[in-house]
């Protein structure tokens, strides 16, 4: 099970649960999500990545290796109050999501859920630096979104 902190949508909650199912995750995890404006995203992107522009989503993983999410495996990352392992945080810019939704011809809700799923996969160890990894991540995103009925 995954617990999300922040003002998330029902689609994002469904995507998080489906991501855990898709990846066969064991245990309980916690992910933070924060929605920020373009100016704040620009500043965060510059400060954390040295990139002088805003982006749609940024992810900040807490764990280097993902094993069953138990207190025994992650004694220093386990949050007693929330009852799970802290996985990381996601910053999402709704302004950019809305622009991209219009550009791609689908709903803002679909774009935000896609970006959230993308960010969640990053904090669970996925990346897209190499082409093979990009393809694997994209297939995971589409499978998860299709499973919860969030289509293009």
């Amino acid at each position: 099970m995954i617990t999300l902190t922040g003002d998330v949508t029902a689609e994002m909650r469904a995507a998080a649960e489906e991501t855990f199912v898709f990846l066969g995750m064991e245990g309980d995890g916690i992910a933070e999500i924060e929605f920020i404006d373009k100016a704040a995203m620009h500043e965060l992107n510059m400060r954390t990545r040295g990139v002088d522009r805003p982006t749609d989503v940024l992810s900040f993983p807490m764990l280097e290796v993902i094993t069953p999410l138990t207190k025994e495996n992650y004694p220093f990352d386990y949050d007693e109050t929330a009852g799970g392992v802290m996985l990381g945080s996601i910053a999402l810019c709704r302004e950019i999501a809305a622009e991209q939704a219009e550009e791609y011809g689908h709903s803002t809700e679909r774009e935000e859920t896609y970006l959230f799923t993308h960010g969640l996969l990053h904090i669970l160890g996925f990346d897209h630096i190499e082409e093979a990894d990009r393809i694997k991540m994209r297939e995971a995103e589409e499978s998860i979104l299709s499973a919860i009925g969030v289509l293009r």
Side-chain angles (χ1 to χ4, degrees):
M1 182 178 100
I2 184 165
T3 301
L4 302 175
T5 64
D7 184 25
V8 297
T9 65
E11 291 83 5
M12 289 175 189
R13 289 191 190 285
E17 290 298 328
E18 183 59 31
T19 298
F20 261 47
V21 170
F22 179 82
L23 298 177
M25 301 287 296
E26 297 177 36
D28 298 316
I30 304 160
E32 297 176 323
I33 182 162
E34 184 175 1
F35 299 97
I36 59 178
D37 64 22
K38 270 188 180 178
M41 184 61 89
H42 188 154
E43 188 278 326
L44 184 61
N45 207 18
M46 184 65 183
R47 182 168 34 92
T48 61
R49 299 177 59 227
V51 176
D52 192 16
R53 63 177 171 77
T55 189
D56 48 13
V57 65
L58 288 173
S59 302
F60 303 95
M62 296 272 302
L63 308 175
E64 290 185 31
V65 176
I66 306 294
T67 61
L69 301 173
T70 64
K71 184 177 179 178
E72 293 75 28
N73 287 342
Y74 298 100
F76 303 110
D77 298 301
Y78 192 86
D79 183 322
E80 291 284 348
T81 304
V85 176
M86 189 60 203
L87 301 171
S89 60
I90 301 165
L92 194 151
C93 181
R94 284 188 157 146
E95 292 171 77
I96 295 175
E99 292 168 3
Q100 290 176 173
E102 185 173 329
E103 177 184 340
Y104 301 141
H106 53 243
S107 72
T108 300
E109 293 77 17
R110 194 270 183 210
E111 186 65 14
E112 287 181 5
T113 306
Y114 165 76
L115 293 172
F116 167 78
T117 303
H118 182 87
L120 183 58
L121 287 170
H122 272 306
I123 66 174
L124 293 172
F126 280 69
D127 71 49
H128 45 79
I129 296 169
E130 301 293 328
E131 181 64 13
D133 293 331
R134 185 193 67 74
I135 291 168
K136 182 179 175 184
M137 187 172 186
R138 190 72 184 135
E139 288 172 350
E141 292 161 351
E142 289 304 323
S143 178
I144 291 162
L145 294 174
S146 292
I148 64 168
V150 177
L151 308 171
R152 288 183 182 265

